[in-house]
Amino acid sequence: MTETPLMRQYREIKAQHADAVLFFRMGDFYEMFLDDAKLAARELGLTLTSRNNGGAADVPLAGVPVKAAGEYVRRLVERGHRVAICEQVEDPKVAKGLVKRAVIETITPGAALTDDLLDGNRNNFLVAVDPGRPVGLAAVDLSTGECMLETVPNADLAGAVARYNPREIVLPEGAEPPAGLPGGVLLTRREAWEYDHAHAEDEIARRFGLKGLDGLGVTAEDRPALRAAGALLHYIAALQPAGVPQLACPSVRRAGDTMPLDDMTRRNLELVDPLRAGDTATTLLAVLDRTGTPMGARLLRRWLLEPLRAVEPIRARLDGVSVLVADARGRDRLREALEGIRDVERLGGRAAAGRASPRDLGVLRDSLARLPDVKAALDGLAARETSALLDGHAHGLDLVADLAELLAARLAARPPATVGDGESIRAGADPELDTQRDLRDGGKAFIASLQARERERTGIGSLKVGYNRVFGYYLEVTRTHRDLVPPEWERRQTLTGAERYVTAELKEYETRVLGAEECALARERELLAELGIAVRERLERIQRTARLSAELDVLLAFAETAVRESYVRPEVTDGFVLDLKASRHPVVERLLPRGAFVPNDVLLDESSRVLLLTGPNMAGKSTILRQVGLTVLMAQVGCYVPADQATIGVVDRLFTRVGASDDVSRGQSTFMVEMHETSAILRGATARSLVLLDEIGRGTSTYDGVAIAWAVTEHLHDQVGCKTIFATHYHELTQLTEELAHAANANVAARESGDDVVFLYRLQPGGADRSYGIHVGRLAGLPPAVVARAETILALLEDGHHVAGRPVPPSPDLSQLTLFDSEHPVLTDLRGLDLDRLTPLEALQQLAALRRRLEE
Ligand code: ADP
Ligand code: MG
């Protein structure tokens, strides 16, 4: 049995795109065959049919109309599939035999260019990983043209990948995917040689038109990132055989510029994504995002995920915010100007690639037209010169005026979404186009005048001139007047009540009209393509301006939030001290009625590096812990902070850990994970880090938990010397500070009121004396009998009694335990006595002293 030539062609093309759903163009449809057809039927709800394959077995088939294909592509890509678009690459009318077909583009989650596949507020990074030691990362956003390279220690890989939040990751065949990837990320495997270093250098040099890579400022240390970039560019070229969108020169990022944030920290502080999906009001991003442009929204998200580590660049941003905070009118002017700027970064890229619609070009024109206002607003800012950043932007803002003028001169006022749906190019912009349009309009006018003339000539009062796509222009006569029709009219169509005719004259003008219309359309296309080229020639300038506007937008959003929420400028220093006066939680305070949030002072300095935070459940421990983390992070992003006063010694890393059972979004048996992450902190933290531990050790039994918490805190205190806040409801741990020279206790106050607990949310020195667990149980509605019984048992336990015949578990008073010291301190001291040197009298005194200590 022989296969049809068409099926053979299909199979050959499909073999080269085995991992993609192949949209195979046949006339006005894209057809999918075999497994692709079944997948499409399942994922898109299409009806599966079958095609007879030249006598061979039936081939399952599903198709979508070309006109509606965009929506189907979107749905497939959103579900993590790749879609290869295979077109007829020669005109079927002139093709001899089978029409030639070829894949012109493969659309994947990480390589999407159209608006329906992109979120305006997020970058869409495609990330390649070179999994060596250290790891290389390359990230490209095809829609904005950004390209970044970085080489990171293996321990930071997951965090670095997460910062890009990619929907697709490129890995060499056989390599393990980075740990902790969220579900739904598409893994793309490429052959190992694509990661070869020499190949990478070639690929990068070719893509960016460089002689060598020296111009990029790369060193031998960046080799892993270069290898990843080589593989990534190779892959992108394979996806876009017709030409890759223009990319900006790669920017090389160095560890040390920004603060690595691990997954747990990013998630628990709810920086950009909420812990509970959907509830975005709980994120820091939601509080700060007053940006007015998509570029600004994307940049803000990125800044939050990569706080700075050096004092100078942080102060530079803060200086900018300060200028804007101080000038309310200037703020409003700048906001108004920025608001009119749309996504010029993506529009520019699309136009340069020849993919922009006339409407896109119109939006680009309107956005560029706002730039002079932005510049004027910047120029008019009071005390602008106190911010090098704003001053620099005021001078450096490229208005791309030549392009703005060109677009304004050429484009129609409201260009249509598709060419031909209205005029894209304005009248007077191009003589040739004007001529064709005049011919077309003249022809139309003549045809319209024909109606009056022929009416008069024939005496048919109801005669009408009309047009339809099939028959072109015609003269319509109602049936009753049929007899009056002159013999030279040619009948074309008979309707129920009327007849339609054409005349030689009408046909002649019709040809002129249609010909002119076609010429006008072709000329419009040419002119639009010219505009695309004009954009391409200026793309770097457009993108630089876009990035500058994004930065202005974010600084302005910081300033607006600062004013609205009464934040202060933090004093950012190279010192150790973290001193917050009347600090608030930026998110929680907004979720409570205004003024209901209780501010607190928090001080971490050399004498109290470790703050042990105790207090009953629901007292506000976790809130304080997180607000300190968020405040430090906000300061290092260059934002004002929710406090009356803040001095912040910059931290090199910020770690947040939440005990397993407090972490709602994780499943069971996570104690192991918790310990894993805790050990990562102990290895990763330095004296300049800030470590926030919330109920660590809770995922196991009380004693285990307390023991681990104790040992971890001791290690951070003795070995690492970093700033640490440890929140725990194990009030037993407060004894720990007696042994640690640089630690202090604090507790979040609660007051008993009758049988109930009133939470004051006030931080005060000293440890909590008890847990109030039973009170909280009562508040939560435990039946009175259960509460009463719990109180009885508690009293018995505290007095060291047995409860109902069962042995009492060891008392939780840790001074009684040998858990933390392997022996009693009196024994240790006894062992330490140098008997050879003691006089008998001294020996007796020591003995008495030891005995006294035992009796205490
Ligand atoms: P804990 O960790 O001690 O169990 P949380 O920090 O989770 O307590 O706080 C419990 C709730 O108390 C929060 O959801 C918030 O509504 C409220 N709360 C916490 N801190 C404050 C505060 N400073 N002022 C007002 N309400 C607060
Ligand atoms: Mg808590």
Side-chain angles (χ1 to χ4, degrees):
M1 275 181 286
T2 51
E3 202 174 38
T4 60
L6 183 82
M7 275 318 285
R8 195 169 323 119
Q9 183 188 44
Y10 173 81
R11 274 184 208 281
E12 278 164 18
I13 295 175
K14 174 68 191 175
Q16 284 161 17
H17 298 274
D19 58 357
V21 177
L22 187 65
F23 272 39
F24 192 74
R25 178 74 180 260
M26 292 176 70
D28 290 337
F29 280 80
Y30 287 115
E31 299 290 357
M32 285 155 276
F33 297 110
L34 303 162
D35 286 348
D36 285 353
K38 290 183 196 156
L39 184 144
R42 199 168 60 237
E43 295 275 36
L44 303 173
L46 299 179
T47 321
L48 207 55
T49 54
S50 67
R51 180 187 176 89
N52 189 287
N53 178 26
D58 279 355
V59 174
L61 172 79
V64 300
V66 170
K67 275 199 155 57
E71 169 62 13
Y72 292 107
V73 171
R74 184 185 66 75
R75 275 158 61 191
L76 285 172
V77 170
E78 261 171 14
R79 288 176 168 79
H81 298 290
R82 298 160 213 284
V83 180
I85 308 290
C86 175
E87 292 291 353
Q88 300 172 167
V89 292
E90 62 182 345
D91 189 339
K93 285 188 211 116
V94 300
K96 296 197 191 71
L98 195 60
V99 184
K100 273 209 197 83
R101 291 183 170 84
V103 170
I104 54 146
E105 178 185 20
T106 304
I107 302 154
T108 75
L113 292 168
T114 50
D115 269 343
D116 57 345
L117 285 165
L118 296 168
D119 176 346
N121 294 335
R122 291 176 191 236
N123 277 106
N124 189 30
F125 283 115
L126 174 60
V127 169
V129 175
D130 177 60
R133 278 181 186 276
V135 216
L137 277 183
V140 162
D141 184 336
L142 281 178
S143 64
T144 63
E146 288 157 293
C147 176
M148 287 158 208
L149 307 182
E150 60 183 311
T151 300
V152 299
N154 293 61
D156 293 342
L157 173 62
V161 169
R163 216 173 52 227
Y164 291 109
N165 196 10
R167 287 159 72 195
E168 180 177 354
I169 294 185
V170 181
L171 288 169
E173 207 63 67
E176 279 288 306
L181 273 189
V185 176
L186 178 67
L187 290 182
T188 296
R189 301 292 184 169
R190 302 296 292 180
E191 289 177 34
W193 63 264
E194 294 176 27
Y195 282 82
D196 182 66
H197 185 75
H199 168 262
E201 286 203 347
D202 279 0
E203 194 79 42
I204 295 167
R206 185 145 34 92
R207 170 65 47 211
F208 298 106
L210 307 168
K211 286 237 160 50
L213 301 193
D214 296 344
L216 295 179
V218 292
T219 67
E221 280 160 33
D222 300 312
R223 284 176 152 236
L226 293 176
R227 288 196 293 268
L232 186 58
L233 293 173
H234 189 85
Y235 172 55
I236 291 171
L239 294 177
Q240 304 279 342
V244 173
Q246 193 172 327
L247 299 176
C249 248
S251 67
V252 182
R253 298 151 154 254
R254 293 265 144 63
D257 292 352
T258 59
M259 190 199 292
L261 290 173
D262 57 68
D263 178 53
M264 182 85 169
T265 301
R266 200 185 62 237
R267 285 188 327 116
N268 266 296
L269 292 181
E270 300 190 82
L271 299 182
V272 298
D273 295 314
L275 273 178
R276 262 166 307 156
D279 197 1
T280 49
T282 60
T283 65
L284 180 61
L285 179 65
V287 175
L288 298 179
D289 194 0
R290 312 217 356 132
T291 56
T293 69
M295 291 88 73
R298 292 197 291 269
L299 185 66
L300 172 59
R301 171 179 281 269
R302 265 159 50 188
W303 274 12
L304 291 184
L305 296 179
E306 46 187 35
L308 302 172
R309 297 217 279 200
V311 170
E312 279 319 312
I314 296 172
R315 285 193 187 142
R317 287 186 190 171
L318 287 169
D319 285 344
V321 178
S322 296
V323 166
L324 293 165
V325 163
D327 184 353
R329 269 207 46 204
R331 258 192 338 260
D332 290 346
R333 267 185 84 185
L334 187 57
R335 173 54 68 218
E336 210 175 297
L338 284 172
E339 217 104 76
I341 297 181
R342 302 274 296 282
D343 203 340
V344 292
E345 200 174 27
R346 280 182 173 160
L347 286 169
R350 212 182 297 155
R355 291 167 176 263
S357 69
R359 182 175 293 165
D360 286 342
L361 288 172
V363 175
L364 184 60
R365 169 198 59 196
D366 297 343
S367 299
L368 294 180
R370 303 307 296 267
L371 290 173
D373 287 352
V374 174
K375 178 155 167 51
L378 273 178
D379 285 339
L381 280 176
R384 186 195 70 218
E385 59 289 346
T386 59
S387 160
L389 216 56
L390 292 180
D391 210 37
H393 287 2
H395 291 115
L397 185 69
D398 183 345
L399 306 181
V400 212
D402 48 350
L403 182 64
E405 278 163 27
L406 182 68
L407 292 174
R410 291 280 176 86
L411 287 172
R414 261 191 225 87
T418 39
V419 188
D421 259 7
E423 298 190 346
S424 302
I425 303 290
R426 74 163 59 240
D430 179 65
E432 188 187 329
L433 179 63
D434 290 345
T435 309
Q436 298 299 346
R437 281 183 183 160
D438 287 347
L439 280 177
R440 179 196 65 194
D441 297 343
K444 280 187 179 167
F446 178 84
I447 289 171
S449 74
L450 211 78
Q451 179 170 309
R453 220 182 58 206
E454 291 295 291
R455 261 187 202 177
E456 204 175 318
R457 190 164 76 87
T458 58
I460 306 173
S462 64
L463 182 145
K464 276 189 312 196
V465 173
Y467 176 82
N468 77 25
R469 274 182 184 279
V470 184
F471 297 103
Y473 285 98
Y474 53 79
L475 298 164
E476 188 175 299
V477 174
T478 49
R479 207 168 264 265
T480 44
H481 292 105
R482 209 165 51 178
D483 301 340
L484 295 174
V485 169
E488 71 272 19
W489 288 18
E490 202 182 307
R491 199 170 66 204
R492 276 291 163 89
Q493 197 184 7
T494 303
L495 309 173
T496 18
E499 305 269 5
R500 289 175 175 175
Y501 301 87
V502 296
T503 66
E505 197 180 25
L506 192 60
K507 274 293 139 193
E508 184 196 325
Y509 275 90
E510 178 187 294
T511 314
R512 265 195 229 174
V513 167
L514 297 184
E517 194 148 75
E518 209 163 284
C519 287
L521 201 62
R523 183 63 189 152
E524 273 204 333
R525 286 212 166 84
E526 263 171 46
L527 292 167
L528 288 169
E530 272 178 22
L531 291 179
I533 292 167
V535 173
R536 186 158 76 222
E537 284 164 352
R538 296 164 182 82
L539 187 60
E540 263 183 65
R541 289 168 58 201
I542 298 172
Q543 294 192 326
R544 213 170 325 118
T545 291
R547 273 154 220 171
L548 214 134
S549 316
E551 202 168 303
L552 285 175
D553 196 6
V554 175
L555 294 175
L556 183 57
F558 284 171
E560 287 169 334
T561 312
V563 172
R564 189 193 48 192
E565 305 288 335
S566 310
Y567 292 172
V568 291
R569 176 178 176 142
E571 174 68 37
V572 176
T573 76
D574 268 323
F576 183 84
V577 176
L578 172 62
D579 186 5
L580 307 179
K581 297 282 189 316
S583 151
R584 288 125 47 203
H585 189 299
V587 177
V588 175
E589 78 166 337
R590 295 226 316 167
L591 300 178
L592 294 176
R594 214 172 172 83
F597 192 89
V598 179
N600 276 301
D601 297 348
V602 178
L603 174 66
L604 290 169
D605 59 9
E606 276 299 344
S607 66
S608 57
R609 297 199 295 252
V610 175
L611 192 64
L612 207 80
L613 201 58
T614 43
N617 269 323
M618 291 303 287
K621 301 182 296 297
S622 301
T623 304
I624 289 185
L625 193 97
R626 285 180 171 82
Q627 90 193 32
V628 170
L630 286 170
T631 300
V632 168
L633 191 135
M634 287 165 81
Q636 294 194 213
V637 161
C639 177
Y640 278 29
V641 298
D644 284 356
Q645 204 189 315
T647 302
I648 293 171
V650 287
V651 307
D652 64 350
R653 302 199 64 150
L654 170 61
F655 294 99
T656 308
R657 284 300 173 278
V658 176
S661 58
D662 247 30
D663 184 357
V664 288
S665 58
R666 301 211 163 185
Q668 279 155 12
S669 135
T670 51
F671 181 64
M672 181 70 188
V673 176
E674 180 191 327
M675 288 298 104
H676 234 97
E677 291 170 343
T678 305
S679 54
I681 298 184
L682 298 186
R683 271 186 266 110
T686 75
R688 302 209 53 107
S689 305
L690 173 62
V691 176
L692 304 171
L693 300 172
D694 195 0
E695 307 281 8
I696 283 294
R698 209 153 107 163
T700 180
S701 75
T702 302
Y703 288 121
D704 268 10
V706 172
I708 289 171
W710 187 292
V712 165
T713 311
E714 229 172 44
H715 181 88
L716 289 171
H717 177 273
D718 297 345
Q719 308 298 323
V720 180
C722 59
K723 292 186 272 276
T724 307
I725 303 183
F726 196 129
T728 177
H729 73 292
Y730 293 140
H731 62 90
E732 297 87 347
L733 278 174
T734 53
Q735 295 167 55
L736 182 53
T737 59
E738 288 165 24
E739 298 188 7
L740 304 179
H742 309 279
N745 277 316
N747 72 87
V748 198
R751 188 162 42 83
E752 280 184 79
S753 149
D755 280 341
D756 278 341
V757 187
V758 178
F759 295 115
L760 306 174
Y761 307 113
R762 224 179 31 241
L763 193 64
Q764 55 190 28
D769 49 355
R770 48 185 303 194
S771 281
Y772 298 92
I774 295 176
H775 293 9
V776 174
R778 185 204 324 278
L779 286 182
L782 285 183
V786 173
V787 172
R789 174 68 180 145
E791 270 165 352
T792 314
I793 295 173
L794 179 65
L796 289 171
L797 287 172
E798 282 178 347
D799 289 350
H801 288 296
H802 286 226
V803 178
R806 280 187 292 277
V808 179
S811 156
D813 176 359
L814 291 174
S815 64
Q816 306 282 314
L817 293 175
T818 53
L819 186 60
F820 304 104
D821 297 308
S822 51
E823 61 184 3
H824 197 284
V826 169
L827 282 179
T828 315
D829 288 357
L830 192 60
R831 238 183 263 284
L833 292 181
D834 188 352
L835 296 180
D836 293 331
R837 290 169 174 246
L838 285 182
T839 64
L841 184 61
E842 283 170 336
L844 204 58
Q845 283 167 340
Q846 289 284 357
L847 197 57
L850 288 173
R851 163 88 163 266
R852 251 198 323 277
R853 282 178 56 195
L854 276 181
E855 284 166 357
E856 266 167 23

